[in-house]
Amino acid sequence: MGSSVRKGRAVLPAEQAARPSREQPHRAAAEDYHHEAQNANNGQAITACCKNKDKDLQFKIQAYIDKNTVMIFSNTACSLSAKVKELFKSMSVPYCSLELDQTEDGQKLQDVLYELTMETSVPIVFVQQKQIGDYDKTLKAHKEGKIQKLLETKGHDHMQDSYDYDLIVIGGGSGGLAASKEAAKYGKKVMVLDYVTPTPQGTRWGLGGTCVNVGCIPKKLMHQAALLGQALQDSRKFGWQFEEKVKHSWETMTEAVQNYIGSLNWGYRVSLREKKVTYENAFGEFVGPHTIKATNNKGKEKFYTAEKFLIATGERPRYLGVPGDKEYCITSDDLFSLPYCPGKTLVVGASYVALECAGFLAGLGLDVTVMVRSILLRGFDQEMANKIGEHMEEHGVKFVKEFVPIKVEQIEEGTPGKLKVIAQSTDGREIIEGEYNTVLVAVGRDACTRTIGLDRVGVKINERSGKIPVSDEEQTNVPYIYAIGDVLEGKLELTPVAIQAGRLLAQRLYAGATLKCDYVNVPTTVFTPLEYGACGFSEETALEKFGEENIEVYHSYFWPLEWTVPSRDNNKCYAKIICNIQDNERVIGFHVLGPNAGEVTQGFSAAIKCGLTKAQLDNTIGIHPVCAEIFTTLSVTKRSGGNILQSGC
C-alpha cells in the first residue's frame, strides 16, 4: 500500500506508521503536518488486558497509538470513517489513518482492536493516546470541547502554525473592531469578516456596524438637528430676529450625515490596515471546527482556519410578519440614508429606537404617530418612560395605544408614496385604518446568529431569541469560540459594552490579563426629545429585589435655566435616585430626564461604580446653575409624599 499525503494530515502504510523511530523528528512542511506523537505510556494497560492475544499485533496497534497525536483506525468503504477524517481535517489537525481493509493482517488487527477497545465498529479514534471511540463518541467529544482540550493540554504545539489566523472576528461592528485591533496589538494574526445583508428596501452600508452606520451616530446627529429647530424657536426670546420662515431640508441633512459616516467607514479600514488586521468584506459562515467560509457579494468563496473565533455579528431589526411589511415598510436600517423626506410617518413600536426616531422626526416638523402594543420602553424605569411619552404627546407626537398593524397596503407609489395601515386592537375587538407616507417598524431586533453555521460547530443558542449564552469570560460552550455584543444572552445591548468586552477579551487571551467585563451599573441614555439617562436599577426592579421597606427614593422636578426665558417645559425635567437603606443608603439607581442627560449620567456613573452613597451626594457642592446640581440637593422622598414641583431654576 502506498502513502497518500494531503494538506494537514498523512495516511501512511502500516509498516511506516508503526515503525519505531530512530531518525530525526519529522519536520512539518506546508503539505505534510504528520509528526511523531509523544508516548503517554498508557498503552501498557491496554496490552496487559489481552495477554493471550497475538503480542505482535497488540504491539503494532500500540505503536500506532503512541506514535501519532491523532490515530484513526479506519476502513476505506466506511462512510463514518470518512466523516471522522473530515472532522479532523476541518480542525486542521493532522492524523494518521490506518485502513484496515487494505492492510496485511487487517482483519486480525481489527479483531484484536475490538478486543482491546470494546468497540464494535470502525472508525476507532485515539487522541493523545486516549481512546475517544467511534464516530458518534468522537463527534460528541468534539462538541463538548474534549478533543481540543486534549490537544491543547498535551502540547499539541504544531496547531498554532497550521491555522491561517490566530483569531477570526465575524462582524465588523464596534465590538469586533475593538477586539481585532487589541489582539493585533499583541502580535496576533487577525482577520475581520464583515458583510451587510441588504434590507428588503436594498439599503446597505460600510464597515463599522450598526452604531456607526444605522444607529447611535446618525441617530444622535438627527436628534441634534431637531434640537436646533427648538433652539431656533427659543432664540427669538433671547433677542434673535429673522424674518424668513425657517425650513428644514431632509436631503441636506442626510447628505451631511452620510458624508460623516463615510469618513468613519474609511477611517476604520485605514486603522485595520495600520494594525495589520486583514479585512474582508465577506459573509462569514462556519463550515466545520476551526474553519470558516467567507463569501463576498459576487458569490466567491474562500475558506480560512483559525485557532480562535469571535462572534460579533450584532442584531438586525425585526419585521412585523404581516402582509406588506417588508414590501412597503422601512426600519432604522433604511431611515438614516433615506433619499427623500419621509413625510407623514407611522412609527410602529415602543422601543428606544421607536421613540428616538419618532422624537427627531417630529422635531423636524413632520406629522408623526406612534403605534404601541403595550408599554413604552420595556426594561427601563416605567415612571421615566411614561414621562417621556407625556412630553412627546405635548410636543405633537400622537400615540395609538394597544393596537398592532395586521396589514400594510400601498395606495400610491412615490418618494414618499402613500400607504394604508390596517391595525387591530390587542384585545381583538376593534379594527382601525390610517394613511401615511412612511411606516417605520421598530418592534425589536433579532440576533444575527442563525445563518452563520453555529450548528455545524456545536455552539448553543437560545432557540427562541437566537442569543448566545456565554461564560463570564464571553466563552461559548465551544471552547475556541467566543462572543460579544448584542448577540449575548442576558447582556446589555450597548456599543460601549461591546467595545469594553472585546478589548478585555483580547487582553485575557493574548496578554495574560484577568480583568473581565463588568456588566453591572452600566450607564445609558435614550435620546428622546427629553433625554433620559439611567444607571443601575429601575425603581420596579429595586423594589422587587430588595423590598419596599429597604428602598428609599429621592426625587424632584427641575427647570433648566436655559428654558426659563422661553418659558417652556417647566416641571418636565425630573431627577430620581434609588438608595439601599440596608447598605448605608448606597445609590443603586440613578435616573434623569432633561437636556444633556447623557453627559450628566456619565459623570455620576463613575461615582456609582465607586459605591456612591446619599450622604456623599449631600456633601458634594453643586455647580450653579446647571441641571446636574439637582442631585446634590435632593431631599424629598417618595415615601414622604412631599411636594417636588419647581417654580424657578
Side-chain angles (χ1 to χ4, degrees):
M1 176 181 131
S3 173
S4 173
V5 179
R6 300 181 297 277
K7 182 176 180 180
R9 68 278 313 145
V11 179
L12 303 176
E15 293 76 10
Q16 183 179 346
R19 183 185 304 136
S21 176
R22 297 179 181 275
E23 56 197 39
Q24 293 296 318
H26 184 78
R27 181 176 63 86
E31 283 74 37
D32 181 9
Y33 292 115
H34 181 267
H35 71 293
E36 294 186 8
Q38 298 178 356
N39 191 337
N41 293 322
N42 65 346
Q44 295 174 2
I46 294 179
T47 304
C49 76
C50 257
K51 289 183 179 179
N52 296 327
K53 295 292 182 182
D54 188 324
K55 291 294 188 293
D56 289 339
L57 295 179
Q58 293 174 29
F59 283 119
K60 183 175 286 190
I61 289 170
Q62 192 61 53
Y64 289 130
I65 296 169
D66 291 344
K67 184 179 176 67
N68 298 288
T69 302
V70 176
M71 183 65 214
I72 303 173
F73 294 95
S74 178
N75 186 309
T76 57
C78 174
S79 61
L80 294 180
S81 294
K83 285 183 178 181
V84 86
K85 293 172 196 172
E86 284 300 314
L87 174 63
F88 285 101
K89 179 180 177 182
S90 69
M91 296 168 65
S92 295
V93 175
Y95 61 79
C96 176
S97 173
L98 176 62
E99 307 302 333
L100 295 171
D101 60 327
Q102 296 186 13
T103 303
E104 186 178 356
D105 294 329
Q107 186 58 55
K108 292 181 180 179
L109 281 168
Q110 184 167 308
D111 293 340
V112 173
L113 189 63
Y114 289 170
E115 285 288 333
L116 291 171
T117 64
M118 303 300 291
E119 298 288 348
T120 58
S121 63
V122 292
I124 302 173
V125 178
F126 288 79
V127 176
Q128 292 288 13
Q129 297 78 52
K130 298 290 185 183
Q131 181 179 332
I132 303 300
D134 62 12
Y135 172 76
D136 289 335
K137 293 175 183 175
T138 302
L139 186 62
K140 183 174 184 290
H142 164 66
K143 288 183 176 180
E144 293 175 351
K146 293 179 180 178
I147 290 178
Q148 182 66 18
K149 188 175 181 180
L150 273 175
L151 293 172
E152 291 174 350
T153 58
K154 289 285 187 176
H156 194 50
D157 54 7
H158 82 279
M159 293 281 289
Q160 180 74 20
D161 296 331
S162 69
Y163 293 127
D164 298 320
Y165 291 91
D166 296 301
L167 176 68
I168 291 180
V169 179
I170 310 171
S174 303
L177 293 178
S180 67
K181 290 185 284 188
E182 191 72 16
K185 189 168 76 174
Y186 301 111
K188 297 302 174 182
K189 189 177 181 183
V190 183
M191 168 181 270
V192 171
L193 296 174
D194 186 61
Y195 183 84
V196 177
T197 302
T199 71
Q201 303 301 323
T203 308
R204 59 193 312 164
W205 49 89
L207 182 63
T210 295
C211 174
V212 169
N213 294 281
V214 291
C216 319
I217 298 300
K219 175 268 303 288
K220 179 79 181 294
L221 291 173
M222 293 190 178
H223 170 66
Q224 173 65 11
L227 293 182
L228 289 173
Q230 179 65 61
L232 280 171
Q233 296 178 39
D234 290 351
S235 69
R236 294 183 186 274
K237 292 285 188 176
F238 284 93
W240 290 94
Q241 299 177 7
F242 41 92
E243 301 301 326
E244 71 277 8
K245 184 178 180 180
V246 177
K247 297 189 300 182
H248 180 265
S249 169
W250 176 271
E251 292 78 9
T252 300
M253 177 187 69
T254 53
E255 181 181 4
V257 169
Q258 290 303 313
N259 285 342
Y260 176 64
I261 291 172
S263 71
L264 294 178
N265 298 146
W266 174 251
Y268 291 135
R269 297 186 69 162
V270 170
S271 179
L272 290 179
R273 187 165 62 244
E274 289 175 345
K275 298 289 193 302
K276 296 182 172 56
V277 174
T278 302
Y279 162 64
E280 282 203 19
N281 181 207
F283 184 84
E285 178 183 3
F286 286 101
V287 293
H290 290 278
T291 308
I292 200 164
K293 176 175 69 175
T295 307
N296 67 16
N297 58 8
K298 296 181 179 178
K300 184 177 180 181
E301 297 178 351
K302 295 181 182 179
F303 294 84
Y304 301 101
T305 61
E307 182 185 16
K308 291 181 173 64
F309 289 83
L310 176 60
I311 301 167
T313 48
E315 296 180 305
R316 294 292 291 272
R318 183 182 308 136
Y319 282 82
L320 297 168
V322 302
D325 62 344
K326 291 185 178 181
E327 292 87 349
Y328 307 122
C329 300
I330 66 170
T331 70
S332 56
D333 281 356
D334 306 292
L335 178 64
F336 302 112
S337 59
L338 200 66
Y340 54 85
C341 180
K344 183 181 179 182
T345 302
L346 173 68
V347 178
V348 182
S351 64
Y352 70 90
V353 175
L355 297 188
E356 287 176 336
C357 292
F360 73 68
L361 289 174
L364 298 177
L366 302 184
D367 183 339
V368 178
T369 301
V370 178
M371 185 172 288
V372 181
R373 178 177 61 87
S374 55
I375 63 173
L376 302 180
L377 295 177
R378 185 178 302 278
F380 289 87
D381 188 286
Q382 282 303 289
E383 180 183 26
M384 310 303 279
N386 291 331
K387 289 181 183 297
I388 289 171
E390 291 166 6
H391 180 267
M392 291 178 68
E393 281 193 282
E394 291 170 2
H395 284 259
V397 176
K398 296 180 285 291
F399 282 83
V400 178
K401 297 182 179 179
E402 297 184 350
F403 273 84
V404 293
I406 57 174
K407 189 176 184 180
V408 180
E409 299 175 348
Q410 186 180 63
I411 300 174
E412 295 178 8
E413 293 185 356
T415 52
K418 187 177 290 186
L419 303 172
K420 180 169 76 172
V421 177
I422 304 170
Q424 185 178 50
S425 61
T426 54
D427 61 12
R429 296 178 180 177
E430 188 178 354
I431 300 290
I432 60 173
E433 295 182 0
E435 293 185 2
Y436 305 91
N437 299 117
T438 299
V439 177
L440 172 66
V441 177
V443 294
R445 301 171 65 81
D446 292 323
C448 300
T449 57
R450 300 187 190 276
T451 60
I452 60 173
L454 296 183
D455 55 324
R456 298 192 187 105
V457 288
V459 173
K460 294 178 181 177
I461 65 172
N462 181 313
E463 289 302 328
R464 187 185 64 81
S465 67
K467 298 274 191 173
I468 303 175
V470 294
S471 70
D472 61 355
E473 295 188 338
E474 288 79 44
Q475 188 176 43
T476 71
N477 63 296
V478 177
Y480 63 89
I481 300 177
Y482 297 79
I484 59 171
D486 292 358
V487 299
L488 299 190
E489 183 176 52
K491 298 293 191 292
L492 295 168
E493 300 173 8
L494 297 168
T495 294
V497 172
I499 293 172
Q500 178 86 327
R503 286 175 177 164
L504 293 178
L505 173 61
Q507 290 168 13
R508 291 195 306 273
L509 291 178
Y510 303 121
T514 58
L515 187 62
K516 302 172 187 177
C517 185
D518 185 358
Y519 293 93
V520 178
N521 287 330
V522 175
T524 188
T525 295
V526 181
F527 289 98
T528 39
L530 190 61
E531 295 178 11
Y532 168 35
C535 182
F537 289 103
S538 67
E539 187 173 345
E540 296 89 351
T541 305
L543 291 172
E544 180 181 348
K545 183 176 179 64
F546 299 101
E548 184 177 358
E549 69 280 6
N550 296 316
I551 292 298
E552 197 72 86
V553 178
Y554 295 86
H555 66 147
S556 179
Y557 286 105
F558 62 95
W559 198 11
L561 179 62
E562 298 84 351
W563 294 5
T564 58
V565 171
S567 297
R568 66 176 176 91
D569 291 322
N570 190 16
N571 289 311
K572 299 300 178 185
C573 296
Y574 180 69
K576 174 169 74 173
I577 60 170
I578 303 162
C579 300
N580 183 353
I581 297 172
Q582 298 298 319
D583 190 12
N584 197 30
E585 282 204 317
R586 184 168 60 89
V587 178
I588 59 172
F590 177 97
H591 303 271
V592 59
L593 282 176
N596 304 305
E599 309 294 344
V600 174
T601 305
Q602 183 70 81
F604 281 105
S605 67
I608 292 171
K609 294 286 280 188
C610 296
L612 178 69
T613 65
K614 179 62 168 62
Q616 289 172 328
L617 269 178
D618 292 342
N619 289 331
T620 300
I621 297 175
I623 301 171
H624 187 70
V626 299
C627 294
E629 179 185 13
I630 189 68
F631 286 98
T632 66
T633 60
L634 291 175
S635 59
V636 179
T637 67
K638 276 195 173 182
R639 199 188 308 272
S640 73
N643 181 35
I644 59 170
L645 297 177
Q646 300 292 310
S647 58
C649 71

